[in-house]
Amino acid sequence: MTHMSVVTTFFFMGLPRAPALDVPLLGLFLVIYVLTVVGNLLILLVIMVDSHLHTPMYYFLTNLSFIDMWFSMVTVPKMLMTLASPGGRAISFHSCVAQLYSFHFLGSTECFLYTVMSYDRYLAISHPLRYTSMMSGRTCALLATSTWLSGSLHSAVQTTLTFRLPYCGPNQIQHYFCDAPPILKLACADTSVNEMVIFVNIRVVTSGCFLLIVLSYVSIIWSILKIRTSEGRHRAFQTCASHCIVVLCFFGPGLFIYLRPGSRDAVDGVVAVFYTVLTPLLNPVVYTLRNKEVKRALLKVRSQSVFTQRK
């Protein structure tokens, strides 16, 4: 895949910024990164420990937290190194391949997972009596496995299409991580076919998933409106609100960047911060602060740890 390339090292140009902002941005992104990793680890721990949270919704949430933790780890540490020193801007060719593959693997898996989670909410609200039998442990495992396999396949296509081209001269990536659009700009060959295939591939995946999510929520809203009690309607709406918030924050910036053919703008780097840095943090915040069950489980874990320490 890489035999035609002369370039052995790439250099990130990082976010478009004034040099004076390097230290404040480093501090800000470091705090967000630590909170993201700790927050998602905490969600994983709480769901594993509390048997009340061993339901399909929380099973998919553990998958989401696991993805978000690694999604953040794939891009943010290198971004921090780029901000910390000029020497941190370098990345080897093979590390760049690995980063691009990991980024698209986790990103597309998350995209598929949001779709599965919206389907899960649709079944829970529209078919409450049949929900338990329809979303058995085996079905959940099958759906989760499908998202991971689909994500790996999608990413393999992106990575192969990007790095099968020759790279023989320019090696400065106008971004803070290895992504297909800025890397294709450096190729020593015509990239129009590659760009179009990548564009269509991402468009089919993101638009397809987004459309399925919208259809699920149209059905969910229709079912909620049929609920007779206002308390029941409110509870059903609250269940879906958290998912809606993270879906919009994930898909919005992604659709902006990837669904414009030939997008190379510096603004893409700034927009990418939303789904590489902020969305992975948003999930633990939204799902804990808005969710009574998770908050109750967190307090339970905390009280148990305090009791153990006293003993």
Side-chain angles (χ1 to χ4, degrees), residues 264-283:
R264 305 271 200 283
D265 305 342
V267 75
D268 284 0
V270 178
V271 174
V273 169
F274 280 92
Y275 63 87
T276 58
V277 181
L278 299 177
T279 304
L281 171 67
L282 201 67
N283 287 344

Side-chain angles (χ1 to χ4, degrees), residues 15-246:
L15 288 166
R17 69 202 183 278
L21 291 174
D22 281 4
V23 174
L25 284 174
L26 177 66
L28 175 67
F29 289 137
L30 181 61
V31 169
I32 291 173
Y33 176 64
V34 171
L35 289 173
T36 300
V37 174
V38 171
N40 282 298
L41 269 175
L42 204 57
I43 285 184
L44 287 170
L45 174 72
V46 164
I47 292 172
M48 282 167 63
V49 168
D50 196 316
S51 58
H52 294 105
L53 301 180
H54 292 179
T55 63
M57 184 174 101
Y58 292 105
Y59 173 76
F60 294 126
L61 185 54
T62 56
N63 277 267
L64 185 63
S65 289
F66 185 78
I67 290 170
D68 276 329
M69 192 170 66
W70 283 102
F71 196 54
S72 186
M73 286 178 178
V74 164
T75 54
V76 181
K78 193 62 194 173
M79 182 218 258
L80 296 174
M81 287 165 70
T82 306
L83 289 166
S85 73
R89 296 193 304 119
I91 186 168
S92 72
F93 189 94
H94 291 97
S95 296
C96 192
V97 174
Q99 190 183 46
L100 188 141
Y101 177 81
S102 303
F103 172 74
H104 278 279
F105 169 43
L106 294 166
S108 51
T109 302
E110 184 158 344
C111 186
F112 294 126
L113 189 63
Y114 281 134
T115 313
V116 168
M117 287 172 84
S118 68
Y119 175 66
D120 170 65
R121 292 299 82 212
Y122 159 71
L123 289 181
I125 291 165
S126 301
H127 304 283
L129 300 176
R130 291 162 57 207
Y131 174 66
T132 312
S133 60
M134 290 172 86
M135 288 301 273
S136 63
R138 189 167 175 271
T139 306
C140 289
L142 200 64
L143 286 168
T145 306
S146 301
T147 65
W148 287 92
L149 289 175
S150 304
S152 65
L153 182 66
H154 171 77
S155 182
V157 172
Q158 304 299 312
T159 311
T160 306
L161 283 169
T162 303
F163 289 104
R164 65 190 287 271
L165 294 167
Y167 293 87
C168 54
N171 63 352
Q172 294 196 325
I173 300 171
Q174 294 288 336
H175 213 332
Y176 59 88
F177 66 93
C178 290
D179 197 9
I183 290 171
L184 285 174
K185 194 181 179 185
L186 307 178
C188 306
D190 178 26
T191 62
S192 54
V193 175
N194 298 63
E195 280 182 36
M196 193 46 65
V197 175
I198 286 173
F199 170 70
V200 170
N201 191 350
I202 292 178
R203 185 169 198 164
V204 167
V205 169
T206 50
S207 304
C209 288
F210 194 66
L211 184 66
L212 288 170
I213 291 168
V214 169
L215 286 171
S216 292
Y217 274 95
V218 168
S219 305
I220 286 167
I221 290 164
W222 184 247
S223 298
I224 289 173
L225 294 173
K226 289 181 185 173
I227 298 172
R228 288 176 184 177
T229 63
S230 59
E231 189 193 340
R233 281 198 300 271
H234 177 70
R235 199 161 69 238
F237 267 121
Q238 252 199 333
T239 306
C240 301
S242 303
H243 187 245
C244 280
I245 291 167
V246 290

